[in-house]
Amino acid sequence: DTEVTQTPKHLVMGMTNKKSLKCEQHMGHRAMYWYKQKAKKPPELMFVYSYEKLSINESVPSRFSPECPNSSLLNLHLHALQPEDSALYLCASSQEGGLAGLTFQETQYFGPGTRLLVL
Amino acid sequence: AQSVTQPDIHITVSEGASLELRCNYSYGATPYLFWYVQSPGQGLQLLLKYFSGDTLVQGIKGFEAEFKRSQSSFNLRKPSVHWSDAAEYFCAVGAMDSSYKLIFGSGTRLLVRP
């Protein structure tokens, strides 16, 4: 099973709202990722969690707050977003996050994404 | 610095025709290379990957890719395209920073003529 699930599928929020995106995997992976993807662009890495610790933050504004409650779950808390934050938010997971070196297991599997619209 | 280049923004082929999507990478060590496909509004699906060994790798949906170290290329091919192959295709290289990360190319949109 190589499934990563994301909820909700779609989200519309105002600039003063607080919302959360959720991601879940049951593959036993210890690395999880958040990406932002604008239309007709490749995914841009936002955050990486490896063994439930934040290992990469790609200079993302503080209105995005990631959380990894356990090895299967990854949340992205949203607060005071701007209209330009409207995008597809993708979650991914991989085996180790590179802690064991780059191995055959280090393949990222992606969820279907959450389409976010900020009004 | 690591980078991935997909020189073709759009490619249009007729259904049943062969397909080749180009990918060139820049990476100092042995690259770990991937092709992903994305249908509109969907997540990314892994088509195939190369880590080592045989330089011709087979993937899902009849796709294959060939790693050519001398040309720093990892081109994706399919002998006969189906209308359902119309999508965005991303080439990516796996790299180590403070953690493992993927570096994506800008993507190639495939259009299929009936």
Side-chain angles (χ1 to χ4, degrees):
Chain A
D1 181 13
T2 56
E3 187 178 27
V4 177
T5 59
Q6 290 186 242
T7 55
K9 288 190 68 173
H10 300 93
L11 180 61
V12 180
M13 60 186 291
M15 289 189 284
T16 58
N17 291 157
K18 285 186 182 181
K19 296 286 185 183
S20 296
L21 309 185
K22 296 185 185 302
C23 174
E24 190 167 5
Q25 56 87 15
H26 294 289
M27 295 178 276
H29 289 173
R30 302 310 299 269
M32 297 185 76
Y33 309 77
W34 279 117
Y35 290 84
K36 174 183 177 180
Q37 187 180 24
K38 302 285 276 185
K40 301 185 190 301
K41 297 291 187 183
E44 298 174 25
L45 183 65
M46 301 173 73
F47 303 103
V48 180
Y49 272 84
S50 186
Y51 284 80
E52 294 136 62
K53 288 185 169 45
L54 184 64
S55 57
I56 294 181
N57 176 343
E58 295 281 25
S59 303
V60 179
S62 60
R63 58 186 183 268
F64 295 91
S65 175
E67 179 196 19
C68 189
N70 60 57
S71 59
S72 301
L73 291 173
L74 184 67
N75 298 322
L76 186 63
H77 303 298
L78 314 173
H79 175 52
L81 293 194
Q82 303 297 309
E84 60 263 29
D85 297 321
S86 299
L88 181 68
Y89 287 84
L90 294 165
C91 175
S93 70
S94 71
Q95 186 82 14
E96 295 273 350
L99 286 182
L102 281 179
T103 68
F104 190 78
Q105 286 77 19
E106 285 303 343
T107 298
Q108 288 189 21
Y109 294 95
F110 285 80
T114 293
R115 175 76 58 190
L116 174 65
L117 177 61
V118 182
L119 300 176
Chain B
Q2 307 98 338
S3 66
V4 178
T5 302
Q6 294 180 248
D8 303 305
I9 298 175
H10 297 103
I11 282 187
T12 301
V13 300
S14 297
E15 191 168 16
S18 63
L19 170 70
E20 183 169 32
L21 302 182
R22 296 184 289 165
C23 173
N24 293 96
Y25 67 89
S26 172
Y27 188 63
T30 301
Y32 291 78
L33 296 160
F34 306 83
W35 275 100
Y36 286 88
V37 61
Q38 185 177 35
S39 297
Q42 302 296 313
L44 276 70
Q45 182 181 24
L46 179 68
L47 282 177
L48 47 77
K49 57 190 176 185
Y50 172 78
F51 284 85
S52 64
D54 193 347
T55 56
L56 184 64
V57 293
Q58 302 297 320
I60 62 171
K61 304 186 180 189
F63 285 93
E64 66 178 26
E66 186 170 13
F67 170 62
K68 292 185 177 180
R69 185 185 298 275
S70 62
Q71 299 177 18
S72 298
S73 69
F74 188 56
N75 294 349
L76 183 71
R77 300 194 294 247
K78 186 170 185 178
S80 177
V81 169
H82 188 264
W83 64 267
S84 60
D85 293 324
E88 188 86 22
Y89 290 80
F90 292 100
C91 180
V93 64
M96 283 300 298
D97 192 325
S98 50
S99 184
Y100 172 69
K101 60 194 291 186
L102 277 179
I103 298 167
F104 285 93
S106 54
T108 297
R109 178 161 295 277
L110 174 64
L111 304 173
V112 180
R113 280 193 296 257

